[in-house]
Amino acid sequence: MPRGIQEVKVTVRWFEYEKKNYGKVELGVLRPVKVYESVEVGSPIEVLLSIIEKSTKSREGDYFEVKVEAPGIIEVMGESPRYRGQRALFPRPAKLNRVGILTSDKIASLTNKTGGDYVTFKLDDLTWYVEKDEVYVYEGTMNAEDNVVAVYLDTSEGPRIIIPFGRDKILRDALSRQQSSGE
């Protein structure tokens, strides 16, 4: 084969967007719906771009990810033809294992113990919800009840802590109450 032309393994995964509840939190997640695998011949990057162009015109889901593999190269790229990117919940689609929730009540009890400008917590301090289905977090919405101050996403790609919009004020208020009362 000419230089740069090689067999390229292609995997296209399609996802649909849905909202799921985890206790006091509603998350926008991606649920896998279809997977296509093939072997193409060509430059891996050109194959990747060609598959993305074809897939963008298809309406098989809300988001898709194309992975190309050839000797010495693995490239992954995603596109969302049917839904607008929203808040980044994770840098790239990652399988969600469980969701941990930290509430203002728990923050108050933790700051009583530690004092100071920082709150430290253990994973045991969170209320956990195990995800039994195969869903992925990426870009989506997150709605939380007023007393939720942090959401811990445990994924196949590692953890991420997200503070719901406006909750940073709740954290500051909890800490300042502790300092002003002399505790």
Side-chain angles (χ1 to χ4, degrees), residues 110-126:
L110 292 171
T111 55
N112 282 334
K113 293 176 187 172
T114 60
D117 291 337
Y118 300 96
V119 174
T120 58
F121 63 90
K122 297 181 175 127
L123 295 180
D124 292 340
D125 294 326
L126 302 172

Side-chain angles (χ1 to χ4, degrees), residues 89-91 94-98 123 126 128 137 151-162:
L89 301 174
F90 210 82
K95 185 175 182 300
L96 184 60
N97 298 323
R98 61 186 181 156
L123 295 180
L126 302 172
W128 288 101
V137 289
V151 177
Y152 186 99
L153 302 177
D154 179 19
T155 76
S156 60
E157 302 291 322
R160 176 141 186 193
I161 296 176
I162 298 175

